[in-house]
Amino acid sequence: MAQPDNQSKRFFESLSGAGKSIAVLTSGGDAQGMNAAVRAVVRMGIYVGAKVYFIREGYQGMVDGGEENIKEASWESVSSMLQMGGTVIGSARCKEFRSHEGRLKAAHNLVQRGITNLCVIGGDGSLTGANLFREEWSGLLEELVQQGLIDEDAVQKYSALHIVGMVGSIDNDFCGTDMTIGTDSALHRIIEVVDAIMTTAQSHQRTFVLEVMGRHCGYLALVSALACGADWVLIPEMPPEDGWEEKMCQKLSANRAGMKRLNIIIVAEGAIDCNNKPITTDHVKDLVVRCLGFDTRVTILGHVQRGGTPSAFDRILASRMGVEAVIALLETTANTPACVVSLCGNQAVRLPLMECVQMVGRQESFENNLKTYKLLAHRKLESELPHSNFNIAVLNVGAPAAGMNAAVRSAVRVGISEGHKMFAVNDGFEGFYKGQIKEIKWADVGGWTGQGGSLLGTKRTLPAKHVEKIAEQMRAHNINALLVIGGFEAYLGLMELLEARGKYDEFCVPMVMVPATVSNNVPGSDLSIDTALNSIVETCDRIKQSASGTKRRVFIIETMGGYCGYLASVGGLAAGADAAYIYEEPFDIRDLQSNVEHLTEKMKGAIQRGLVLRNENSNENYTTDFIYQLYSEEGRGVFDCRKNVLGHMQQGGAPSPFDRNFGTKISAKAMLWLTKKMNETFRQGRVFANTEDTCCLLGMRRRALVFQPVVQLKDETDFVHRIPKEQWWLKLRPLMKILAKYKTSYDVSDSGQLEHVVRNIQPKESDPSGAM
C-alpha cells in the first residue's frame, strides 16, 4: 500500500488528544450500526491519547450524571460490540434536557469530568439539541459559577464545548448525507421479510400489503419497493391523486392477468392522500378485496426493522464516521461550527450541522429512486411508447454475482420503455457466438430482482477468437447497441470488441459495461456490489460466536478476490479483524511474527477471540495453511487456532438491498445513455458509432457515476493481476489496524475540510448505490 506522504503523516501525528476528554452518546431512536460508531469513537479517541467516556441513556444520562451514567471507556469495553444491533450504551427521549434547568445539570456533570468534546449519534432532533447546548455553554458555565458549583478557573479551562454529530436513523431522512447509519440494515430486515412473504404469496396467489416505518419519510418504502419489484408503493412525499384506488386495482389486475401469481403493495406508515388523509394498510386491503376479490393479507413490520445485526455497509459506514468524528473534534477551534460527519458517494465529508438541519426538501437521490421506480414498475401502453427501430442485446460475462439479475431486469424494462426491442444473450460471449439469443419481454424479467446468481447464464469466455461469429449474430439480429454486465472479463471483452471495430462494422455500435463482481476489481469503478461482503461478515460473526465460552481462539479465514484485496480488507474492517493479508500490501515473515505477538499480547488480557483474514492470492508461499500453522505454533499456550476457506458461498445467496438497487439504478442509467448514443450516431438508416466515447464503462468514481471510455482505463489497469493500479479502499486499511490496536500512520489528506450544504449537494446520482 502506498504510504501517506510526509505532510499528511505530520498532519495526523500532530492531532494529539492528550489531555482531552471526549464523550460519546446515542440519542433518539436506536439504529443498527450505532455500536460500531461508538466502538470507533472510543478506540480512535484512546488511540490519539484522549480520555473517552460513555454517556449512557442519551441526554437522560447526561442530565442525571453519576458514575453509572457517565463512565470512562476502555479499549476492551467495546469488544464484541461491532456485530450487535441497537445501542449497548442505551438511548432515551429526555424531556428534561429540553429545559434550561436540565441543560444546566448536564453542563455541570460534564465540567466535573473535564469533558468539552461531545460526539452525538442520533437524528436531527438529537443533533439540534446538541447545537443549542453548545451555543448556551458559556452562559451555563457562568450560571454554575454564580451558584457556587464551579469556580472561575473551570470557566477558563472548559470555555468552549465542541460538538460533532453522526446521523443514526433508519429513515435516511437527514439532508446532507447519502446514507444514515442504520438505513441499510433496516432495508436488509425489510427485504428478508418481503422475500419470505413472496414465496408464500406465490403459493396461494395472494396479495400482501406491507407497512414499513417512515412517519414523515418514505425512503424505506420506496427503496424496498424498488428492491423487490413491488406492484405499488404509497409514501408521504408523493400523495396519490384522486382516483388512485382505481388505478392501483387496474395495475394489480393487469399483473395477475399477465400470469403473475402474487402482488406486493408497500405502504409507509406516514402515507397520505392528496387531501392529507392517512392511507392505512387496512384501507388498502379492504379496497383490493372489495374491488378485485383477491385473497389479501396485511403485514406490519414494526420494530423488526430496527432490530438484528448491522449490515456490512452500516458497520463500515459507522466505523469510518466514528474515526472521522474524532479527527474533527481534535481539529475544532472555538470558532468552528458544530459539524456533522456525512457520506457523499464513497467519501466522508464534514458539513455544518445547522445547515443540514435547516435544509428543506428531499435529497436528489430520493427523486432518482422515485423516477426509476416509476420507470420499472409501471408499464406504458404500446400507444404511449416512443417508436424506435433499435435492438439492444444484454449479456452477463464472467463469474456470477448477486445483483446481476436486478441489472438485467432494469435494462430490459427501461429499454422497452424507451421503445427498443431487447435481446437476451445466454452464457455470455460463448452463447453469443453460438447464437443463443432471443427477444426478452417485460413480463419475462418479473421477480428477477431478488434472485442471486445469473439467470441469463454467464461464462468467462472472451470474444477475440470468435469475433467473426459474434459479428454474424449481431448482423442477423440487427443489434444496434450492447450492454455487458460483469467483472474483469466483461471489461477485457469490451476492449476486444472495440479493437474488432476496425475489421467488422457490426461492432461500430454504442457499447457500455456495468460492473458486477464480488472482487470489486474493475478499473473505473470504486464500487461493484456488496452481497459477498455481507456473506463474509455474517460468517465471521458466526465463527467468532462459536468461540464464546471456549478458551482463547484465533480464526484464520480465506476470502475470494483473485489478486484484489477488497473483500479481505473491507470485510476485515466490518468484521473487526486483527489483520488482513492482501497482495497489494506485501508482507513477510517479520510481519506475520509481529501480528502473532500482537495477538498474543491481546489474548493475555480480556480479549477472547482473534480474527485474521487472508485474500486467496495475497502470497503464493504464505498460504492459508502456512499462516494457520505459524499462528498455531507461535500462539501455543496462549490461544489455539482454527481456519476456514469461505469459497463459493461468497458468490451465492440473495442479493443485498444495496446490490439490487445499485444494479437497478446503474443499469437504468446505462440504458438511457445507449438510447442517447444510438440517436446521436444514427446516419443514413443505420447506427454507426466508431469513436472512443461510444464504448464506455459506467462506474462510481468518488462522488458520481461516470461514463469512461474503456480505452482511457488501459493506463489505470494492472492486466497481469487483473486489478486497478490505484484503489481507493486501501486508505481504509489503517482504520482496521487502528481499531485493532496497532500503531500506524493514517492518511488524512481527504479529511479536514468543512464543506457547505447546498440544495442537491451531490452531483446527479452520486450516492453509493447510484443512488440507494
Side-chain angles (χ1 to χ4, degrees):
M1 173 188 164
Q3 287 298 312
D5 59 43
N6 289 333
Q7 186 184 356
S8 293
K9 276 191 192 177
R10 280 200 304 277
F11 181 50
F12 175 68
E13 285 155 9
S14 69
L15 291 175
S16 169
K20 294 197 175 186
S21 293
I22 298 171
V24 58
L25 69 137
T26 53
S27 175
D30 65 311
Q32 308 97 317
M34 279 183 164
N35 289 325
V38 170
R39 170 181 177 267
V41 169
V42 169
R43 291 196 167 175
M44 187 64 178
I46 292 170
Y47 181 85
V48 296
K51 261 188 173 185
V52 188
Y53 291 86
F54 291 135
I55 298 179
R56 298 189 182 278
E57 310 305 335
Y59 288 119
Q60 192 66 56
M62 199 192 294
V63 171
D64 294 344
E67 282 299 316
E68 278 307 301
N69 288 315
I70 304 176
K71 191 174 184 178
E72 190 174 350
S74 67
W75 192 275
E76 289 74 23
S77 61
V78 290
S79 290
S80 304
M81 269 176 69
L82 193 58
Q83 65 269 32
M84 295 172 77
T87 164
V88 298
I89 59 172
S91 183
R93 313 273 178 196
C94 179
K95 270 189 183 172
E96 220 175 329
F97 189 75
R98 291 178 193 168
S99 70
H100 183 79
E101 197 55 44
R103 292 193 291 278
L104 191 65
K105 282 187 196 173
H108 185 220
N109 288 327
L110 294 187
V111 170
Q112 281 182 313
R113 289 162 184 79
I115 298 168
T116 55
N117 295 284
L118 268 189
C119 185
V120 181
I121 308 163
D124 56 1
S126 305
L127 300 179
T128 306
N131 192 61
L132 174 64
F133 190 39
R134 172 186 159 276
E135 287 171 349
E136 290 182 348
W137 183 255
S138 55
L140 294 171
L141 295 197
E142 288 300 334
E143 280 187 60
L144 292 171
V145 170
Q146 288 163 16
Q147 293 177 17
L149 294 170
I150 62 171
D151 57 26
E152 286 291 348
D153 286 351
V155 175
Q156 293 303 313
K157 196 174 177 184
Y158 308 121
S159 58
L161 178 69
H162 304 300
I163 292 198
V164 172
M166 283 184 270
V167 192
S169 162
I170 66 167
D171 288 330
N172 202 32
D173 56 353
F174 192 83
C175 252
T177 187
D178 291 340
M179 288 291 273
T180 56
I181 295 166
T183 304
D184 187 62
S185 300
L187 284 170
H188 272 256
R189 297 299 90 79
I190 294 167
I191 294 306
E192 283 161 15
V193 171
V194 174
D195 284 354
I197 276 173
M198 284 174 92
T199 56
T200 181
Q202 196 143 13
S203 305
H204 296 277
Q205 294 198 51
R206 280 188 178 137
T207 296
F208 268 87
V209 184
L210 292 129
E211 182 185 286
V212 302
M213 281 185 168
R215 267 194 304 254
H216 308 293
C217 175
Y219 184 89
L220 289 177
L222 178 58
V223 176
S224 50
L226 203 52
C228 72
D231 298 83
W232 204 267
V233 64
L234 293 156
I235 55 175
E237 293 90 339
M238 189 181 67
E241 295 169 6
D242 287 335
W244 66 271
E245 295 95 338
E246 192 183 335
K247 282 183 185 170
M248 183 185 75
C249 289
Q250 283 172 353
K251 170 86 192 300
L252 299 179
S253 183
N255 284 352
R256 280 291 173 93
M259 304 305 289
K260 190 176 179 185
R261 291 178 58 86
L262 76 155
N263 302 111
I264 300 284
I265 301 163
I266 294 182
V267 184
E269 61 179 322
I272 49 170
D273 64 17
C274 58
N275 303 309
N276 245 10
K277 193 178 158 199
I279 300 173
T280 65
T281 47
D282 284 336
H283 173 63
V284 175
K285 176 194 168 178
D286 293 344
L287 191 67
V288 175
V289 172
R290 189 176 70 248
C291 298
L292 299 173
F294 289 173
D295 185 2
T296 307
R297 299 284 189 275
V298 168
T299 299
I300 296 172
L301 270 63
H303 282 74
V304 160
Q305 295 157 87
R306 289 195 187 279
T309 60
S311 65
F313 184 97
D314 272 329
R315 296 182 198 198
I316 296 156
L317 174 66
S319 298
R320 289 178 71 187
M321 300 294 104
V323 168
E324 183 72 22
V326 172
I327 296 171
L329 281 171
L330 297 182
E331 287 176 349
T332 53
T333 64
N335 302 320
T336 311
C339 79
V340 61
V341 181
S342 298
L343 179 77
C344 192
N346 67 357
Q347 285 189 290
V349 297
R350 298 181 206 165
L351 301 165
L353 192 155
M354 292 316 292
E355 283 187 23
C356 294
V357 170
Q358 287 157 9
M359 181 62 67
V360 180
R362 302 300 309 164
Q363 301 137 302
E364 188 158 339
S365 65
F366 186 91
E367 269 116 53
N368 288 330
N369 278 306
L370 197 49
K371 266 187 236 163
T372 309
Y373 175 76
K374 286 177 178 176
L375 202 57
L376 298 174
H378 303 293
R379 186 179 183 179
K380 292 176 185 172
L381 299 170
E382 293 290 330
S383 57
E384 296 174 323
L385 291 173
H387 186 64
S388 153
N389 292 317
F390 295 136
N391 296 342
I392 302 177
V394 58
L395 64 157
N396 294 336
V397 177
M404 276 183 163
N405 297 321
V408 173
R409 170 187 176 265
S410 174
V412 168
R413 292 198 168 179
V414 172
I416 291 169
S417 295
E418 291 291 300
H420 311 314
K421 228 184 213 185
M422 296 301 296
F423 287 84
V425 182
N426 292 112
D427 297 338
F429 288 118
E430 190 173 307
F432 214 149
Y433 82 79
K434 289 179 177 174
Q436 295 171 15
I437 305 165
K438 61 176 185 190
E439 190 181 347
I440 186 164
K441 302 281 185 70
W442 185 280
D444 295 338
V445 292
W448 279 35
T449 319
Q451 298 200 45
S454 164
L455 292 170
L456 284 186
T458 182
K459 292 275 175 74
R460 293 181 184 271
T461 310
L462 291 173
K465 292 177 185 172
H466 312 286
V467 284
E468 191 177 342
K469 286 183 178 175
I470 293 172
E472 278 175 26
Q473 293 297 333
M474 295 273 287
R475 192 164 56 250
H477 293 89
N478 189 26
I479 301 298
N480 308 116
L482 273 185
L483 173 64
V484 183
I485 300 162
F488 205 85
E489 285 90 358
Y491 168 63
L492 294 176
L494 213 55
M495 284 205 285
E496 290 180 2
L497 293 184
L498 180 65
E499 218 166 280
R501 277 179 173 179
K503 201 171 176 186
Y504 301 96
D505 279 359
E506 286 80 4
F507 299 118
C508 293
V509 296
M511 298 187 271
V512 68
M513 175 193 161
V514 164
T517 163
V518 300
S519 303
N520 198 30
N521 64 331
V522 176
S525 190
D526 294 344
L527 295 169
S528 294
I529 56 174
D530 83 333
T531 297
L533 268 184
N534 280 291
S535 299
I536 290 166
V537 169
E538 283 165 22
T539 307
C540 288
D541 285 353
R542 288 181 189 177
I543 285 171
K544 281 160 75 177
Q545 190 183 38
S546 75
S548 62
T550 65
K551 57 184 176 178
R552 290 174 169 81
R553 184 165 282 169
V554 173
F555 296 93
I556 317 289
I557 295 173
E558 183 186 296
T559 67
M560 277 182 164
Y563 285 96
C564 180
Y566 176 80
L567 289 178
S569 297
V570 182
L573 179 60
D578 295 278
Y581 300 119
I582 62 170
Y583 164 77
E584 294 93 336
E585 196 173 281
F587 58 96
D588 58 24
I589 195 71
R590 288 181 294 277
D591 296 309
L592 293 171
Q593 185 63 37
S594 165
N595 293 152
V596 175
E597 287 167 8
H598 183 82
L599 266 168
T600 305
E601 201 55 42
K602 278 173 77 173
M603 291 283 184
K604 286 176 181 171
I607 305 292
Q608 295 284 319
R609 299 183 293 277
L611 183 65
V612 173
L613 271 59
R614 178 188 173 273
N615 166 246
E616 58 185 351
N617 289 348
S618 55
N619 189 297
E620 61 183 341
N621 295 315
Y622 300 134
T623 62
T624 302
D625 281 338
F626 177 89
I627 293 172
Y628 163 69
Q629 286 162 1
L630 176 75
Y631 271 71
S632 297
E633 182 58 36
E634 297 297 316
R636 197 184 293 274
V638 180
F639 58 79
D640 68 1
C641 259
R642 294 287 184 273
K643 65 174 176 179
N644 199 308
V645 176
L646 298 184
H648 280 75
M649 62 160 290
Q650 294 159 86
Q651 277 183 344
S656 66
F658 183 100
D659 284 343
R660 297 179 194 205
N661 289 295
F662 188 67
T664 298
K665 303 300 269 310
I666 199 169
S667 199
K669 194 173 175 75
M671 288 302 297
L672 296 174
W673 180 86
L674 285 176
T675 300
K676 180 168 165 266
K677 289 293 174 189
M678 285 188 295
N679 286 323
E680 285 174 2
T681 57
F682 188 73
R683 299 280 183 281
Q684 295 166 340
R686 64 156 293 186
V687 171
F688 189 81
N690 65 347
T691 54
E692 286 180 2
D693 67 345
T694 57
C695 181
C696 285
L697 180 144
L698 174 56
M700 166 63 74
R701 298 304 286 262
R702 290 169 77 85
R703 299 192 187 187
L705 282 168
V706 187
F707 290 95
Q708 303 142 102
V710 291
V711 170
Q712 292 175 18
L713 295 173
K714 272 186 178 178
D715 292 341
E716 296 181 27
T717 310
D718 172 352
F719 287 99
V720 176
H721 298 101
R722 299 158 57 88
I723 53 175
K725 287 178 183 172
E726 286 191 20
Q727 305 187 87
W728 71 273
W729 51 264
L730 285 168
K731 284 186 176 178
L732 300 182
R733 280 182 64 78
L735 294 192
M736 185 187 72
K737 291 177 181 175
I738 287 168
L739 298 175
K741 217 173 183 177
Y742 286 91
K743 281 291 172 194
T744 186
S745 291
Y746 178 42
D747 180 359
V748 288
S749 54
D750 278 351
S751 298
Q753 290 81 36
L754 188 68
E755 300 185 12
H756 288 282
V757 186
V758 290
R759 176 75 177 112
N760 298 336
I761 165 181
Q762 61 270 60
K764 284 257 182 205
E765 295 189 63
S766 73
D767 66 30
S769 59
M772 240 188 92

